[in-house]
Amino acid sequence: MNTTIYDVAREAGVSMATVSRVVNGNPNVKPATRKKVLDAIERLGYRPNAVARGLASKKTTTVGVIIPDISSIFFAELARGIEDIATMYKYNIILSNSDQNKEKEIHLINTLLEKQVDGILFMGGEITSEHVEEFKRSPVPVVLAATLDENKEIPSVNIDYHQAAFDAVTELFEAGHKRVGMVSGSLEDPVNGYQKFSGYKRACEEHGQGFDEKLVAVGDYTYDSGIEAVQELRKLDTPPTAIFAGTDEMALGVIHGLQDDGIKVPEEVEVIGFDNTRLATMVRPTLTTVVQPMYDIGAVSMRLLTKYMNKEDVQDEVVELPHRLEYRDSTSF
């Protein structure tokens, strides 16, 4: 049988209200009484019932976090930022893996609400009208992290993905390249796909190359798709002399695909990635990449959620963090 608060009260010779005050850190308990209660808790191995406490306070101090792929280095770093701030504000986390599947995402939202979480942090791909409807119906606040709601109806934390891609591709043109290719994520994905693609396209149009759809290969964010994409680009009559990849993992595939064909990086083809994950320093040559502050996005999104959960004043519902380019050995500039 589980030890109850009644058992602790009887063992310590105090009321259940006194035990409750001790467990919840209420200072209005005499030191001697507090010691008696804590000694009884230790002897009996009592664990407070979080569900019961949640029912009483109407708060579970639990946050639901929905992540597309917890095995991804990118999302793992985001989760770390979330966890650190959650711990600071004394919230527990329920972590769910959605596989970026819409039906599963909707199911997880409702499952977390059934578990009486106090708030939800959501990371995913395309935010559909169905997602927005679920978020708006939610009785608890929802914040998006590294995920775009094009209509900006849902609070979110991101960087300017379009501008970041534009800045990276501009660097390649200004380094003298005439044909710059792109390995993109799915163009239906508003972050890793469309926003970065649109930044690439704008850079092409503004720097004299003009947009050529043949120079864009679409991958699925994985290393293998980066290898396949660069093989596709190398088959062109005039292949690109520089390649911008929408994620670091695809960029690694690009570098290794080039090396497999005897192409030297950066001497013959320069490569830029996106995210600045640990992978960027694991490949040789090390990867020049756009720095997306993953940990900070996770931390800031969790802090924003705590403000909503605690009914604090929120000045900016849509937060945009700065980005920059980290220069390494996959480029010559």
Side-chain angles (χ1 to χ4, degrees):
M1 295 289 290
N2 290 332
T3 302
T4 67
I5 191 172
Y6 172 77
D7 298 323
V8 175
R10 185 174 57 185
E11 176 75 12
V14 299
S15 69
M16 287 190 288
T18 298
V19 175
S20 178
R21 282 195 289 271
V22 171
V23 167
N24 291 302
N26 190 314
N28 298 320
V29 180
K30 292 178 182 178
T33 304
R34 183 182 303 279
K35 186 176 185 309
K36 279 201 303 183
V37 171
L38 292 175
D39 288 346
I41 286 172
E42 187 174 349
R43 283 196 301 274
L44 297 175
Y46 172 66
R47 295 282 187 280
N49 187 324
V51 174
R53 289 166 69 185
L55 289 172
S57 66
K58 296 185 179 177
K59 284 188 177 183
T60 59
T61 61
T62 302
V63 169
V65 178
I66 298 173
I67 285 183
D69 182 5
I70 192 56
S71 68
S72 159
I73 287 179
F74 174 80
F75 289 114
E77 191 71 9
L78 268 171
R80 182 58 190 263
I82 292 167
E83 171 68 26
D84 284 353
I85 300 303
T87 300
M88 185 185 300
Y89 285 88
K90 295 182 170 49
Y91 282 93
N92 300 308
I93 283 178
I94 299 175
L95 192 60
S96 305
N97 198 79
S98 71
D99 300 316
Q100 207 152 307
N101 175 289
K102 186 178 84 169
E103 286 70 30
K104 191 172 181 182
E105 287 170 345
I106 300 297
H107 171 73
L108 286 172
I109 292 166
N110 287 290
T111 299
L112 290 169
L113 291 174
E114 288 170 8
K115 293 182 181 298
Q116 304 293 308
V117 295
D118 294 336
I120 292 175
L121 276 174
F122 182 90
M123 281 152 273
E126 182 185 6
I127 299 297
T128 66
S129 58
E130 198 173 341
H131 285 95
V132 173
E133 185 180 335
E134 290 293 334
F135 295 148
K136 286 183 174 179
R137 285 194 317 192
S138 168
V140 301
V142 177
V143 171
L144 308 180
T147 302
L148 284 175
D149 162 29
E150 291 181 327
N151 296 321
K152 298 185 177 178
E153 297 178 80
I154 311 299
S156 61
V157 181
N158 292 280
I159 66 170
D160 187 336
Y161 303 101
H162 172 99
Q163 187 63 40
F166 175 85
D167 292 345
V169 177
T170 296
E171 287 274 3
L172 294 170
F173 282 117
E174 291 183 349
H177 293 282
K178 303 299 181 188
R179 285 177 69 74
V180 177
M182 179 179 184
V183 177
S184 174
S186 167
L187 297 184
E188 294 179 0
D189 181 333
V191 173
N192 284 314
Y194 185 74
Q195 286 292 320
K196 295 175 187 177
F197 165 75
S198 65
Y200 161 81
K201 182 179 179 183
R202 178 178 144 225
C204 291
E205 292 169 344
E206 291 188 13
H207 291 87
Q209 170 180 295
F211 173 66
D212 181 352
E213 65 181 15
K214 293 187 181 126
L215 286 170
V216 179
V218 177
D220 62 3
Y221 316 117
T222 63
Y223 170 82
D224 289 339
S225 74
I227 292 177
E228 292 167 7
V230 78
Q231 289 171 345
E232 182 182 326
L233 293 173
R234 292 295 301 167
K235 290 176 183 175
L236 296 173
D237 291 338
T238 310
T241 58
I243 296 173
F244 168 63
T247 67
D248 285 347
E249 190 166 336
M250 289 194 296
L252 263 65
V254 168
I255 289 174
H256 289 163
L258 290 167
Q259 291 171 339
D260 289 346
D261 284 344
I263 307 297
K264 293 180 181 177
V265 177
E267 292 86 351
E268 295 176 82
V269 178
E270 297 191 87
V271 179
I272 295 181
F274 201 110
D275 288 336
N276 196 39
T277 60
R278 290 191 304 258
L279 293 173
T281 57
M282 294 177 183
V283 68
R284 293 295 180 271
T286 54
L287 179 65
T288 296
T289 185
V290 175
V291 176
Q292 179 169 198
M294 293 95 65
Y295 179 93
D296 293 346
I297 290 175
V300 172
S301 61
M302 182 65 212
R303 178 64 185 109
L304 182 59
L305 185 62
T306 64
K307 287 185 177 182
Y308 283 112
M309 292 187 295
N310 296 317
K311 295 182 169 47
E312 297 176 41
D313 181 50
V314 175
Q315 293 184 339
D316 297 311
E317 291 192 347
V318 177
V319 179
E320 210 167 77
L321 299 181
H323 65 270
R324 62 184 175 83
L325 202 61
E326 182 70 34
Y327 299 94
R328 295 193 181 94
D329 297 335
S330 65
T331 54
S332 302
F333 44 80

